[in-house]
Amino acid sequence: MTDLTKLTISAALDGMAAGDFSARELTAAHITAMEASNVLNAFITKTPEIAVEAATASDTRRAKGEAGLMDGIPIAMKDLFCTEGVLTTAASHILDGFTPKYESTVSGNLWNEGAVMLGKANLDEFAMGSSNETSFYGNVINPWRRAGDDHPLVPGGSSGGSASSVASFSAMAATGTDTGGSIRQPASFVGIVGMKPTYGRCSRWGVVAFASSLDQAGPMTRSVRDSAIMLEAMAGFDPKDSTSVDMSVPDFQSALSGDIRGLKIGIPKEYQLDGMNPEIQALWNQGIDWMKAAGAEIVNISLPNTKYALPAYYIIAPAEASSNLARYDGVRFGLRVEGKDLNDMYASTRAEGFGDEVKRRLLIGTYALSAGYYDAYYLKAQKVRTRIADDFKHAFQHVDAILTPTTPSAAFGSGEKSDDPLAMYLNDVFTVPASLAGLPGISVPAGLSGEGLPLGLQVLAKPFDEETLFKVAGVLETAANFTATPDDWWRG
């Protein structure tokens, strides 16, 4: 019988529709795979009983001809999404024991379309990190290894558990959240497809907040078609989220025509960094050639304010985090460390409950918002953000999509950058600009480094033009024909 864990979502849906296997069989295979991959530490909480119950209900619906878009598909849910009755931690000590009495809109949409939850995926604490080394529940390990080297690699972050679960065939797909690149960067590091929708396409209600003007949920899958299927299930207007946009959700799969003849693909000169990794430059050049061969027109463009994106982001995001995380004080939920008075309890709880990276960003954010510095830092960063968005708006008057690298390097070793926050922040150099502008973006696995590690290319499109994004990404995926998978070393 076919290894059910190696199927794509679309193939699995076809197989269940044809009666080749049931949702219960598909789920059982993934529960076994999830247990076999414990060494990767991709999950904080596993929910096999819930998964079996959901799969059983899925088989019943399918027998009645009532199957949804994702019916019977076993997925990992990033532990930033509130799930009713299931521990939700944001990978932080400060949320110890928090079990929501409500469901996030995105996870609820997925369950309504029949998706099956295998468990809650590990992440960087409060989504703050680029390597999944800041989780209170321990580091997540990338299933890939450098050729001839057993040193563990990071899966990227913050959605590292989601990325690792999909790349190791422990989950068929996973939800992620992307604030500055936290879906696209880990997807590139583990060789899967990671897609950030336009800001406002997916509801943020019930998602533990990091930076409210940037956070956006999205799918992490093993194919572009799977990404289109999952986004359609996740997206939709939500009156509970004031930033949710009241637009119909297209049939994203229908955009995968395989034909991009006549489309104009922009190549931004500012993404050609000084000292750029030759492997990344070569892959980008290859991507440009693939676009040309598919009949697209290559247009050189300029995004002059791109160089200011990282410093602007690392003022805006920590500032919003310092406000959002003020609610974690030991009073209403999660961890409480008693003190001699109320202020001492606040201080002691936050000191013990937050990890170093979260504390670092809260201090940066609080400083940027403080009297005397608000205008000099936060307000100026917001003005820069507007300039960056205007650059993209101008560029999209001349092109249909933009092609760039996803990351400046392949996955790096665990611990290699953990003592150097600035080096860690530079991982987001290619992903942050689109986040600041609220654009949709997707990372597609496109090649291997000299050490045998995955490398991704990124496609960006106009706001709410995910259809063009998927169309270009599908052609890129076909041209790259990335079929490499990691060795199963983690299965012992």
Side-chain angles (χ1 to χ4, degrees):
M1 186 177 180
T2 302
D3 185 345
L4 298 182
T5 66
K6 299 295 174 70
L7 297 174
T8 60
I9 290 174
S10 56
L13 291 172
D14 289 344
M16 286 185 287
D20 296 340
F21 50 86
S22 66
R24 278 182 64 98
E25 290 172 318
L26 186 65
T27 296
H30 282 87
I31 291 172
T32 299
M34 177 174 65
E35 294 299 336
S37 64
N38 283 340
V39 69
L40 300 178
N41 198 32
F43 290 88
I44 292 174
T45 302
K46 298 173 182 175
T47 57
E49 297 86 359
I50 291 173
V52 170
E53 183 179 345
T56 302
S58 174
D59 285 332
T60 300
R61 283 191 299 274
R62 194 173 294 281
K64 295 178 180 178
E66 300 172 355
L69 281 169
M70 294 273 291
D71 232 302
I73 301 299
I75 68 170
M77 182 63 59
K78 185 177 181 179
D79 201 14
L80 209 62
F81 293 83
C82 289
T83 41
E84 185 177 1
V86 178
L87 181 68
T88 300
T89 70
S92 181
H93 186 29
I94 209 162
L95 275 175
D96 275 1
F98 174 54
T99 304
K101 298 183 183 299
Y102 55 90
E103 193 77 40
S104 79
T105 298
V106 162
S107 58
N109 287 348
L110 285 165
W111 311 149
N112 289 339
E113 292 293 344
V116 172
M117 182 172 71
L118 293 166
K120 304 296 290 291
N122 205 345
L123 64 147
D124 280 301
E125 184 181 7
F126 281 103
M128 298 183 194
S130 300
S131 63
N132 220 145
E133 294 177 288
T134 71
S135 171
F136 176 72
Y137 297 91
N139 300 354
V140 175
I141 304 301
N142 191 328
W144 291 80
R145 291 278 175 89
R146 295 181 180 120
D149 184 354
D150 288 340
H151 183 76
L153 303 177
V154 304
S158 65
S159 307
S162 296
S164 189
S165 69
V166 177
S168 65
F169 302 98
S170 305
M172 193 157 273
T175 57
T177 60
D178 194 307
T179 304
S182 288
I183 288 174
R184 292 162 288 158
Q185 184 251 18
S188 180
F189 275 11
V190 303
I192 64 171
V193 175
M195 192 268 173
K196 183 194 91 71
T198 309
Y199 182 80
R201 175 67 85 181
C202 292
S203 172
R204 293 184 300 108
W205 194 84
V207 182
V208 178
F210 166 14
S212 300
S213 74
L214 294 159
D215 298 343
Q216 187 62 193
M220 304 182 76
T221 62
R222 289 197 291 271
S223 78
V224 173
R225 182 171 296 278
D226 286 1
S227 184
I229 294 169
M230 191 168 175
L231 179 61
E232 186 176 347
M234 295 171 65
F237 174 62
D238 181 7
K240 297 192 293 293
D241 175 8
S242 62
T243 62
S244 175
V245 176
D246 191 358
M247 293 179 68
S248 60
V249 179
D251 174 4
F252 293 121
Q253 277 196 87
S254 65
L256 297 171
S257 64
D259 184 2
I260 60 168
R261 287 174 295 179
L263 288 188
K264 295 180 179 179
I265 308 296
I267 307 298
K269 65 180 183 181
E270 288 79 11
Y271 281 55
Q272 296 173 351
L273 307 176
D274 292 339
M276 191 166 176
N277 184 328
E279 290 184 331
I280 301 297
Q281 183 67 62
L283 184 71
W284 193 10
N285 292 340
Q286 178 66 73
I288 293 169
D289 289 342
W290 286 330
M291 294 291 97
K292 288 178 182 176
E297 179 185 345
I298 301 300
V299 179
N300 291 320
I301 61 171
S302 179
L303 301 168
N305 291 290
T306 293
K307 60 185 176 183
Y308 304 120
L310 269 182
Y313 173 83
Y314 278 103
I315 291 172
I316 294 168
E320 294 186 12
S322 75
S323 175
N324 279 325
L325 271 62
R327 73 193 70 177
Y328 305 110
D329 52 15
V331 175
R332 287 159 292 184
F333 43 76
L335 179 72
R336 175 182 293 185
V337 179
E338 300 296 344
K340 61 181 183 291
D341 56 30
L342 187 63
N343 285 336
D344 189 42
M345 187 269 285
Y346 286 161
S348 298
T349 298
R350 290 167 70 83
E352 184 172 327
F354 290 138
D356 289 345
E357 181 59 29
V358 172
K359 290 175 184 174
R360 182 182 294 119
R361 298 197 194 195
L362 294 183
L363 287 169
I364 292 170
T366 303
Y367 180 83
L369 292 175
S370 61
Y373 296 100
Y374 179 89
D375 288 351
Y377 291 102
Y378 184 72
L379 194 60
K380 186 171 287 185
Q382 290 287 21
K383 290 177 178 177
V384 170
R385 181 180 188 174
T386 300
R387 293 282 187 91
I388 291 168
D390 286 345
D391 284 350
F392 278 109
K393 192 178 298 182
H394 176 74
F396 280 123
Q397 292 175 1
H398 307 283
V399 299
D400 300 293
I402 294 172
L403 179 70
T404 79
T406 307
T407 58
S409 71
F412 49 89
S414 298
E416 285 182 8
K417 298 185 180 182
S418 53
D419 295 330
D420 189 346
L422 290 179
M424 194 72 81
Y425 296 167
L426 286 170
N427 282 290
D428 301 330
V429 66
F430 295 134
T431 54
V432 156
S435 295
L436 290 172
L439 303 175
I442 190 168
S443 179
V444 178
L448 294 173
S449 73
E451 296 177 312
L453 300 178
L455 299 171
L457 286 173
Q458 176 180 229
V459 181
L460 306 175
K462 301 170 189 174
F464 299 103
D465 190 13
E466 284 89 355
E467 289 162 290
T468 296
L469 187 81
F470 283 125
K471 182 182 294 187
V472 176
V475 170
L476 181 63
E477 178 182 54
T478 299
N481 191 29
F482 185 89
T483 57
T485 57
D487 295 331
D488 289 357
W489 60 266
W490 63 87
R491 300 189 195 280

